[in-house]
Amino acid sequence: MEKLKDENIHLEYKTAKKTLPKAFWETYSAFANTSGGTIVLGVSEDEKYNYRVVGVEDPKKIKTDLLTQLSDPYKISCNLVSEEDITIESLQGKKIMSIYVRPANYNVKPVYINNQIQRSYLRIGDGDHVAGSAELRYMISNSTDHIDTELLDNYTINDLNLDDVIAYRELLIKNTGKESYKHLEYGDFLYDIGAIKIDRSDNKKIKKLTVGCLLFFGKYNSILDKFPGFQLDYFKKNSSLQTDWSDRVSSGDMNFPEMNIFSFYHRTLNKLTESIPDKFIQNEDLTRGSYYSDLVIALKEALVNSLMHAYYSTDTPISIFAYDDFYEFKNPGDMRVSKDEFIHGNNPITRNSVISILFRKVGIAERAGSGGPRIFETAEKNHLRTPDIIKGLESTTIRIWKIDLFESLKDLSESEKDIVKFSLRYPIFSIKNITEKTKISDYKARNTVKDLTERGVLEKHGNGKSTKYTLSQTEETGIFTIKRMLKNFEDQMNK
């Protein structure tokens, strides 16, 4: 008898003999507000976490009731299930029903029950939990498309660090050639670049600072008045396990008393580029490779991405780390696009449009959505480990590796490395393929492949004579591999 999988962040069992259980909607809300999941009706759970198939007696009636309630906005605030997401099948001789709940888009969160926003749930581990006040506040605020366009009352140009405004203007003139910016008053210049906007809700049509302007150019204490948890940090450490840091840039530090987004970007980018190892890579024509310059581009894109897409109304800092083996960029605010969309550069959605525009006007950021492809193409071009994207409920982390695949697997034996190299040449292979194309014996190949599979380096597919193996891939690696295959296909079609 096939053992049922344990409940987890994406799987929930419910007993439902004749009707839809009341607790169904709590899990529905939790899946919708987190990362989606499947609710299986017709499975019970005892106190010892044992699961037993009990079946549903009238699945068609339950399905009809479910579809009716999903269309009632007073029952649930957002319908995320279509008929195709509902399946009825037999298991152990009984009928069960599976309902896949898609994760809600940011602009409809929170998803709540019975027209009561306080009845919003989150999925944590294998349980449903009522969203706290801070989590609700985040989802409500995050549902707005352009958070940093808010106009600020009682803030003036005196709340800005004018040295940074001047530096930005000089950079803009240098990159655009528009000398006319030199002669504009500060207020007129900031209005011209979109950092200050007219309050059209007021008959006086007063020009006011935007939230984006304050974050980008503001004095530190003025920013804290609006965002008490504002914090920007850069650390250089040997490893993520190390407590002490060898270098640091931090807003509010005595060395950086007036740190804002613009000044933090420049100081941190300089620190990041200084930390790139002097690695000599040769191209096929034996000329010096572009490891350094490529990595500078990737790091700049990741840094800008963190600053543009951060959610600043939180106590969680933006944290940038430079380790010996990799760089890590972590910002508060979930990624508003899928990993696939980020890697391909499709459907860019900006949380802070003013900050994004200010970066793009001076050429620091290019077209929207170009950052992801540049980061992943740098890794591929220089044979580095594929970057990691870690999507949290209220955070986003991008990890860029300095090392290649074999450096990351430096603990492997020589025979294990030989098998990994073989898997790069032959992405899908069998034991027989190894013995036919290499000098590795059948005994050695079987034992080495078994060890690599147990350690998660290789993945096994199938059983018996049809067993095949592949190099383990992250989701990001798989997405980028497909992208590369499609690009090669397009190139062939265009020849």
Side-chain angles (χ1 to χ4, degrees):
M1 183 182 295
E2 183 180 350
K3 186 179 183 296
L4 293 170
K5 293 181 179 179
D6 290 341
E7 290 181 333
N8 55 54
I9 194 170
H10 297 297
L11 178 63
E12 174 75 13
Y13 296 122
K14 302 284 187 189
T15 304
K17 281 274 187 178
K18 299 178 180 180
T19 60
L20 201 64
K22 290 182 180 179
F24 171 88
W25 296 107
E26 295 174 4
T27 303
Y28 177 98
S29 169
F31 280 158
N33 289 326
T34 311
S35 54
T38 300
I39 303 172
V40 180
L41 305 182
V43 177
S44 69
E45 175 187 354
D46 62 25
E47 294 179 355
K48 296 181 180 179
Y49 300 100
N50 294 316
Y51 305 108
R52 183 167 61 91
V53 177
V54 295
V56 292
E57 292 183 5
D58 195 346
K60 290 185 179 179
K61 178 183 179 299
I62 293 178
K63 179 179 178 180
T64 300
D65 291 345
L66 172 60
L67 291 173
T68 300
Q69 293 184 60
L70 282 168
S71 62
D72 181 0
Y74 291 98
K75 183 61 188 177
I76 194 71
S77 63
C78 181
N79 182 2
L80 297 164
V81 174
S82 66
E83 283 203 58
E84 290 73 26
D85 297 319
I86 304 172
T87 59
I88 300 170
E89 58 186 324
S90 294
L91 183 63
Q92 298 178 15
K94 297 175 183 178
K95 294 288 186 182
I96 63 168
M97 180 185 296
S98 298
I99 301 107
Y100 173 64
V101 182
R102 283 167 281 157
N105 288 332
Y106 70 92
N107 57 348
V108 296
K109 289 183 180 180
V111 175
Y112 50 91
I113 306 168
N114 293 344
N115 210 28
Q116 300 172 26
I117 200 165
Q118 294 80 7
R119 294 198 63 189
S120 300
Y121 291 79
L122 297 170
R123 188 73 172 178
I124 302 175
D126 60 357
D128 306 323
H129 300 265
V130 177
S133 58
E135 293 159 332
L136 269 180
R137 187 164 56 249
Y138 169 73
M139 287 189 283
I140 293 168
S141 176
N142 192 51
S143 65
T144 306
D145 276 331
H146 304 293
I147 295 176
D148 70 340
T149 57
E150 176 191 347
L151 300 181
L152 297 172
D153 294 319
N154 304 317
Y155 278 83
T156 69
I157 290 176
N158 292 330
D159 290 298
L160 305 181
N161 187 329
L162 294 182
D163 287 341
D164 288 330
V165 175
I166 292 169
Y168 181 90
R169 181 166 63 182
E170 290 175 351
L171 183 60
L172 185 60
I173 292 170
K174 175 184 175 182
N175 291 341
T176 64
K178 293 184 178 180
E179 296 288 335
S180 57
Y181 284 133
K182 278 185 180 179
H183 310 296
L184 293 178
E185 297 289 336
Y186 293 128
D188 293 333
F189 170 69
L190 292 167
Y191 175 73
D192 192 82
I193 62 174
I196 288 178
K197 296 182 183 293
I198 295 174
D199 185 354
R200 300 191 184 278
S201 65
D202 189 327
N203 291 331
K204 295 180 181 179
K205 300 294 188 290
I206 299 173
K207 292 179 180 177
K208 296 180 179 180
L209 270 63
T210 61
V211 162
C213 179
L214 176 66
L215 289 166
F216 203 84
F217 294 119
K219 294 177 180 176
Y220 181 64
N221 287 333
S222 296
I223 296 175
L224 288 183
D225 288 341
K226 176 65 178 175
F227 300 98
F230 178 80
Q231 185 67 32
L232 308 172
D233 288 318
Y234 162 82
F235 299 96
K236 184 179 180 183
K237 297 182 177 183
N238 290 337
S239 76
S240 57
L241 300 177
Q242 186 181 24
T243 303
D244 298 329
W245 40 266
S246 59
D247 197 7
R248 181 185 183 190
V249 175
S250 182
S251 56
D253 189 279
M254 61 180 293
N255 297 316
F256 313 104
E258 293 298 343
M259 185 82 72
N260 49 43
I261 288 176
F262 183 65
S263 54
F264 177 79
Y265 165 79
H266 283 288
R267 289 190 176 95
T268 300
L269 184 61
N270 287 337
K271 296 288 186 181
L272 288 169
T273 54
E274 288 171 3
S275 70
I276 298 174
D278 184 19
K279 184 173 180 178
F280 188 92
I281 294 181
Q282 288 187 327
N283 296 323
E284 291 180 359
D285 60 358
L286 300 183
T287 60
R288 187 176 177 85
S290 56
Y291 173 83
Y292 177 85
S293 59
D294 289 338
L295 208 50
V296 167
I297 292 172
L299 295 176
K300 185 186 80 167
E301 295 289 357
L303 175 60
V304 170
N305 183 81
S306 292
L307 295 171
M308 287 197 308
H309 296 286
Y311 174 72
Y312 289 96
S313 297
T314 179
D315 294 331
T316 304
I318 292 177
S319 301
I320 315 298
F321 294 94
Y323 299 119
D324 285 351
D325 291 343
F326 63 91
Y327 298 95
E328 191 168 272
F329 300 80
K330 184 174 183 178
N331 63 266
D334 61 319
M335 184 179 283
R336 286 184 162 184
V337 298
S338 67
K339 290 183 180 182
D340 187 284
E341 289 169 328
F342 179 77
I343 293 170
H344 286 72
N346 298 333
N347 191 30
I349 302 174
T350 303
R351 180 178 274 111
N352 300 296
S353 58
V354 173
I355 294 171
S356 300
I357 289 170
L358 292 175
F359 272 126
R360 285 203 293 271
K361 278 186 177 292
V362 290
I364 291 174
E366 296 190 14
R367 64 177 178 81
S370 64
R374 285 174 180 267
I375 290 169
F376 278 80
E377 286 161 7
T378 290
E380 182 196 29
K381 181 179 177 182
N382 293 280
H383 312 291
L384 305 176
R385 274 188 57 173
T386 305
D388 300 315
I389 304 172
I390 304 165
K391 296 181 65 174
L393 184 61
E394 296 181 16
S395 66
T396 302
T397 301
I398 295 175
R399 191 174 294 140
I400 297 176
W401 293 88
K402 304 179 186 181
I403 58 177
D404 61 28
L405 174 65
F406 294 105
E407 285 180 276
S408 67
L409 301 175
K410 54 190 174 186
D411 294 331
L412 298 183
S413 66
E414 287 305 313
S415 60
E416 288 172 334
K417 288 180 181 179
D418 288 340
I419 297 292
V420 171
K421 290 177 183 178
F422 182 86
S423 71
L424 291 174
R425 293 198 305 273
Y426 305 97
I428 302 174
F429 62 92
S430 64
I431 300 294
K432 185 178 180 181
N433 296 146
I434 297 174
T435 57
E436 288 178 345
K437 298 179 183 295
T438 71
K439 296 180 180 179
I440 302 174
S441 69
D442 181 83
Y443 175 80
K444 190 77 170 178
R446 289 185 184 280
N447 283 286
T448 304
V449 167
K450 181 176 181 289
D451 290 341
L452 289 172
T453 304
E454 289 176 350
R455 293 169 63 179
V457 178
L458 296 179
E459 291 181 2
K460 181 181 177 181
H461 307 275
N463 292 294
K465 293 183 179 180
S466 62
T467 301
K468 300 289 184 182
Y469 297 89
T470 62
L471 192 65
S472 293
Q473 293 188 340
T474 62
E475 181 183 354
E476 294 85 352
T477 304
I479 293 170
F480 192 70
T481 298
I482 293 172
K483 177 185 176 182
R484 187 168 61 243
M485 288 170 60
L486 289 173
K487 183 65 173 66
N488 291 339
F489 178 74
E490 290 174 3
D491 291 343
Q492 291 296 324
M493 292 293 290
N494 293 329
K495 282 185 178 180

